[in-house]
Amino acid sequence: MSTEATFFLGAVAVGLGATLFMDVWALLLKRAFNIPLSNYCMVGRWLRYMPEGTFVHASIAAASQKRSECAVGWIAHYVIGIVYALVLVALVSGSWLARPTVLPAMLFGIGSVLVPYLIMQPSFGLGIAASRTPQPTQARLRSLMAHTSFGLGLYVCAVGVSYVLRVHA
C-alpha cells in the first residue's frame, strides 16, 4: 500500500476513533453528572433543510422534523470527525501518524469548537457561541469540553494507529 493511502486510512481511523472517544466521554458525563447529550438529530434536520435552500433557522428545534434526520445527523457527526482528522494530518504531515504528539491534536480539537460557535449555533438560531440560549456559558463550556475530548481522542487514536503502522511496517 502506498504511503499516501496508509496516511489516508490512518487518518480515517483516527477520525472515527476520536469521534467515538468524544461520544463515550459524553455518555460518561451524562451518567456521572447528568450533563445533557448533544442532539445530533438537530444537525441532521439542519442538513436536510439545506437542499430546500434553508441554511439559517430562527429555531432549529421549532422547525418541522425531516425524514431520517437522526440518521443523517449521526452520520454527519462521524463524517465531520473523519474530515477533521484528515485536515489535521494534512496540516501537521502524515509523519505525525507515525509519531503522534499531543499538542497538535489538542490544539486542533479545541480550535474545532469555532465551527459550532461561529457556523452551526448561529444557523440553528442559537446565536454566536450559543449567546441566545438560556445558559450560554454552560452551552459554551459543553461545546468546548466536547471538542477538547475530541482533541484528546485524536491523540489517543493516533497513538493506536502509530502502533499498528509500526507492527505492520
Side-chain angles (χ1 to χ4, degrees):
M1 186 181 309
S2 72
T3 303
E4 292 83 15
T6 300
F7 288 152
F8 176 80
L9 291 175
V12 168
V14 167
L16 284 170
T19 306
L20 181 61
F21 187 96
M22 181 174 95
D23 291 340
V24 169
W25 176 251
L27 280 172
L28 291 172
L29 291 177
K30 170 71 175 161
R31 291 184 192 253
F33 304 107
N34 205 29
I35 293 174
L37 296 170
S38 294
N39 186 349
Y40 296 110
C41 297
M42 294 300 105
V43 174
R45 184 176 298 176
W46 180 52
L47 292 171
R48 294 279 290 118
Y49 269 98
M50 286 182 180
E52 299 172 12
T54 304
F55 298 91
V56 177
H57 298 263
S59 169
I60 192 75
S64 297
Q65 289 183 349
K66 291 289 194 174
R67 191 173 61 82
S68 305
E69 67 183 31
C70 289
V72 169
W74 276 98
I75 291 166
H77 172 58
Y78 276 84
V79 168
I80 291 165
I82 291 168
V83 170
Y84 280 170
L86 288 166
V87 170
L88 172 62
V89 171
L91 289 173
V92 297
S93 88
S95 63
W96 179 79
L97 282 174
R99 287 176 301 289
T101 54
V102 71
L103 187 62
M106 292 303 295
L107 289 176
F108 190 85
I110 292 167
S112 70
V113 79
L114 292 175
V115 173
Y117 281 0
L118 301 176
I119 297 172
M120 296 176 77
Q121 290 168 354
S123 296
F124 288 10
L126 304 174
I128 293 173
S131 61
R132 293 187 188 146
T133 63
Q135 297 176 310
T137 301
Q138 282 188 356
R140 291 173 189 139
L141 287 173
R142 281 197 310 271
S143 292
L144 181 60
M145 289 306 298
H147 286 258
T148 300
S149 70
F150 177 74
L152 181 59
L154 287 169
Y155 173 69
V156 168
C157 293
V159 168
V161 166
S162 72
Y163 174 78
V164 170
L165 290 175
R166 281 193 305 275
V167 168
H168 294 291

